Amino acid sequence: MAEGRQTPIEISKEDFRKIGYQLIDSISEFISTIENRPVTSGESPKHLQQILGSTSLPDKGRPVVEIISQATDLLFKHSLFNGHPKFLGYITSSPAPIGALADLLAASVNPNVGAQILSPIATEIEKQTVQWLSEFIGLPSGYGGILVSGGNMANFTAFIAGLKTKAPANIKEDGLSSVREKLVLYCSKTTHTWIEKAVVLFGLGSRAIRWIDTDSSNRMDIMVLEQAIKNDLTDGLKPIMVIGTAGDVSTGAVDDLSAIASVCKSYDLWFHIDGAYGIPAAVIPELKGMFEGLHDADSIALDPHKWLYSPLEAGCTLVKEPGHLSDTYSSHPAYYNFSQNEEGSSLNYYEYGFQNSRGFRALKVWMTLQQVGRSGYIDMISEDIELSKLLFKRANDHPELEAVTQNLSIATLRYVPLDLKDGADKEVYLNKLNESLLNDLQKGGEVFISNAIVNGKYCLRGCIVNFRTTKNDIDEIVQIIVREGRRISKTIH
Ligand SMILES: Cc1ncc(COP(=O)(O)O)c(C=O)c1O
């Protein structure tokens, strides 16, 4: 510590040790008792604001021990715990405990992984992490990429590289307005909402999206895709990209990637795969066939904070030719002395994506990958899939539940009261009933699931990216759904 300088921010070595150990004790107690807590406190924002109070920022600081104790108490009492075994909502995993330790270590050293000179070992660890992730999903060597905050950013990062590469003009220098033809791109109707942000952010506009119909398995209809491309070409438009989804957010369906790849080859289009959720399942030998075509993708989005169980935030963009990222994002301002090292040119991650200063999110992914190993992941991902199949089966076997879909680790189902009569408004009633059921379940704290609309049916949706969920949890979740379904069906007409 600097002699002679007293600042209100430094913590003495003794205090850091003492308070840090206390915090670690509280966290380990929290993790080991998480299943006995409600999944969520379900409190209203107003109630939470009252707990926090409305005082202004204090002029004078407070002791660290008090602040940590307050923050710990607030978080443990008033959070939703996606590490709870009965959390099956959206696509957020139980976080690997080693990731929490990794974040503490990363923040303590605080490397800026924008430039190699500012993060010597961290840059190499990120590079190795990217290489391991691409090996993990079975890609050949040579792929490059970057870690980003999550699925949206991973898709955006790839999207602009594809746009820049396939646009019929030098848009990096001359901008999109130098392109005469209207640029269009193709994705299935199940594509995650990131695409809607992408076309607004990057100047194409939402009319550039061709939403391709899906078949009965929720996969992109390839005949419709090809016809749409032909129609656009006839109309003088410029197709640039097809986005395939490997694990759609609602039902987990994986598009026919190999068919999309051959369409992209025929029409010289960029092939991007949004595998933010589902692509880790490509590690399972029996599922390899489902992901055929992966190798032909120009870019892939993959989220360690989904099915690799990393704590938020960790996404990854992989590209077949790393030069596509640097061609898109690289610039060399005079104030950066970053370009060279003794071995030649430096790997500076600011040249591969959106961010300039970058945190060391790779560390938690790198550490978790090593703790678990390939075979550990094969076991956990396979078990998640089996649990999802069990949820579907339990729903199928239950007279008051309708099992709707099951793909990867996502099952959808709905509650259907036994005495429900057929009639014109039956579907409207069921949608209303299941929506109310979901709202109550989400607030109740016993289980957290989410929803999906499948062929017009409002469904309950369980997505298992959770290494804590057991068969017993699935059985109890089914009982809770039926119990609450019965209760709510009495109140809704
Ligand atoms: C298929 C898919 N793509 C993209 C995203 C967006 O990911 P994120 O929320 O990490 O930005 C999601 C989120 O669930 C997803 O399921």
Side-chain angles (χ1 to χ4, degrees):
M1 204 180 304
E3 271 292 313
R5 179 139 187 221
Q6 295 291 322
T7 64
I9 202 163
E10 192 61 272
I11 303 179
S12 72
K13 178 180 169 188
E14 295 70 34
D15 281 356
F16 196 95
R17 271 174 72 95
K18 196 162 149 236
I19 300 165
Y21 280 131
Q22 280 167 4
L23 177 61
I24 294 288
D25 281 345
S26 317
I27 294 172
S28 60
E29 181 63 19
F30 160 70
I31 294 175
S32 67
T33 56
I34 196 164
E35 66 192 80
N36 306 327
R37 297 162 190 259
V39 187
T40 175
S41 64
E43 296 150 293
S44 69
K46 207 167 177 183
H47 179 66
L48 294 170
Q49 283 151 21
Q50 277 164 2
I51 291 171
L52 269 190
S54 54
T55 52
S56 317
L57 175 70
D59 184 47
K60 290 262 181 294
R62 291 166 61 202
V64 175
V65 68
E66 271 180 33
I67 301 164
I68 294 214
S69 156
Q70 180 198 21
T72 314
D73 199 53
L74 285 171
L75 264 75
F76 290 169
K77 285 194 182 141
H78 307 285
S79 292
L80 174 143
F81 302 127
N82 40 39
H84 191 289
K86 289 196 178 67
F87 177 85
L88 313 186
Y90 303 102
I91 314 184
T92 313
S93 60
S94 262
I98 196 172
L101 299 174
D103 270 352
L104 176 64
L105 179 58
S108 305
V109 177
N110 201 30
N112 184 339
V113 200
Q116 195 267 339
I117 197 172
L118 303 178
S119 55
I121 191 63
T123 292
E124 296 309 316
I125 288 177
E126 177 153 347
K127 188 175 163 200
Q128 188 165 63
T129 307
V130 168
Q131 183 204 321
W132 284 351
L133 290 173
S134 68
E135 278 171 19
F136 185 88
I137 59 170
L139 295 172
S141 62
Y143 276 73
I146 184 167
L147 290 191
V148 295
S149 60
N152 266 31
M153 293 304 285
N155 285 305
F156 292 167
T157 304
F159 184 90
I160 306 194
L163 179 61
K164 184 206 163 280
T165 308
K166 293 294 179 187
N170 181 353
I171 60 165
K172 189 164 174 182
E173 285 171 18
D174 299 324
L176 274 178
S177 56
S178 65
V179 179
R180 272 183 300 111
E181 308 97 313
K182 182 170 172 48
L183 304 179
V184 281
L185 57 107
Y186 307 81
C187 60
S188 98
K189 287 189 166 160
T190 66
T191 305
H192 185 271
T193 180
W194 71 265
I195 187 64
E196 290 164 289
K197 284 193 185 170
V199 290
V200 174
L201 278 170
F202 310 129
L204 299 184
S206 57
R207 289 202 189 91
I209 306 176
R210 301 289 187 254
W211 296 101
I212 306 299
D213 284 336
T214 46
D215 60 20
S216 57
S217 331
N218 290 323
R219 288 154 37 115
M220 186 192 285
D221 187 323
I222 303 298
M223 299 230 299
V224 176
L225 168 67
E226 195 154 7
Q227 193 54 54
I229 295 171
K230 284 183 183 152
N231 292 348
D232 284 335
L233 286 169
T234 310
D235 292 346
L237 308 183
K238 172 69 184 155
I240 49 162
M241 179 183 309
V242 183
I243 295 151
T245 298
D248 94 84
V249 59
S250 290
T251 67
V254 178
D255 283 335
D256 184 343
L257 303 176
S258 139
I260 297 177
S262 58
V263 170
C264 286
K265 263 189 208 132
S266 305
Y267 295 90
D268 188 27
L269 307 180
W270 183 273
F271 177 25
H272 173 67
I273 298 179
D274 178 6
Y277 154 55
I279 214 105
V283 76
I284 296 173
E286 301 82 61
L287 295 186
K288 282 261 176 292
M290 188 187 276
F291 296 93
E292 217 168 287
L294 191 62
H295 296 194
D296 294 313
D298 295 295
S299 55
I300 299 169
L302 171 169
D303 267 5
H305 72 202
K306 292 190 170 66
W307 219 352
L308 297 179
Y309 316 101
S310 166
L312 295 160
E313 301 166 343
C316 178
T317 305
L318 295 171
V319 284
K320 188 176 244 164
E321 288 184 35
H324 281 143
L325 289 183
S326 49
D327 287 351
T328 306
Y329 295 105
S330 182
S331 59
H332 298 105
Y335 49 82
Y336 280 168
N337 181 28
F338 291 162
S339 299
Q340 296 294 319
N341 60 20
E342 305 92 74
E343 292 155 17
S345 58
S346 302
L347 170 61
N348 296 313
Y349 276 110
Y350 87 88
E351 299 184 69
Y352 283 76
F354 289 6
Q355 279 181 277
N356 192 60
S357 292
R358 300 176 66 248
F360 192 13
R361 57 170 63 90
L363 185 63
K364 60 191 165 200
V365 181
W366 186 77
M367 282 169 64
T368 315
L369 284 169
Q370 291 187 77
Q371 184 202 359
V372 175
R374 171 185 286 271
S375 66
Y377 272 110
I378 291 178
D379 289 349
M380 290 194 295
I381 292 172
S382 304
E383 284 163 18
D384 284 350
I385 293 173
E386 287 311 310
L387 288 169
S388 155
K389 288 182 177 164
L390 180 68
L391 177 58
F392 184 82
K393 181 174 176 344
R394 291 285 186 267
N396 210 24
D397 292 346
H398 200 288
E400 288 160 82
L401 295 176
E402 178 186 333
V404 180
T405 62
Q406 195 288 317
N407 293 294
L408 296 180
S409 67
I410 299 180
T412 60
L413 53 130
R414 62 180 183 168
Y415 181 75
V416 181
L418 272 183
D419 51 2
L420 187 65
K421 305 261 179 315
D422 276 339
D425 55 357
K426 180 177 161 191
E427 286 301 317
V428 177
Y429 169 79
L430 281 177
N431 284 354
K432 205 165 121 193
L433 169 62
N434 280 279
E435 188 172 354
S436 298
L437 173 56
L438 182 83
N439 285 333
D440 279 19
L441 289 171
Q442 286 195 337
K443 278 190 239 117
E446 285 183 282
V447 53
F448 197 97
I449 52 177
S450 49
N451 67 296
I453 311 294
V454 186
N455 298 325
K457 293 178 182 178
Y458 191 100
C459 296
L460 310 179
R461 167 186 172 284
C463 173
I464 303 167
V465 285
N466 192 335
F467 55 85
R468 297 210 173 97
T469 308
T470 62
K471 287 182 182 166
N472 200 33
D473 288 310
I474 299 296
D475 286 337
E476 287 175 6
I477 287 170
V478 169
Q479 285 164 19
I480 296 165
I481 292 173
V482 171
R483 187 196 70 212
E484 290 302 297
R486 283 179 189 156
R487 186 181 62 75
I488 290 170
S489 64
K490 294 204 179 81
T491 65
I492 294 200
H493 302 285

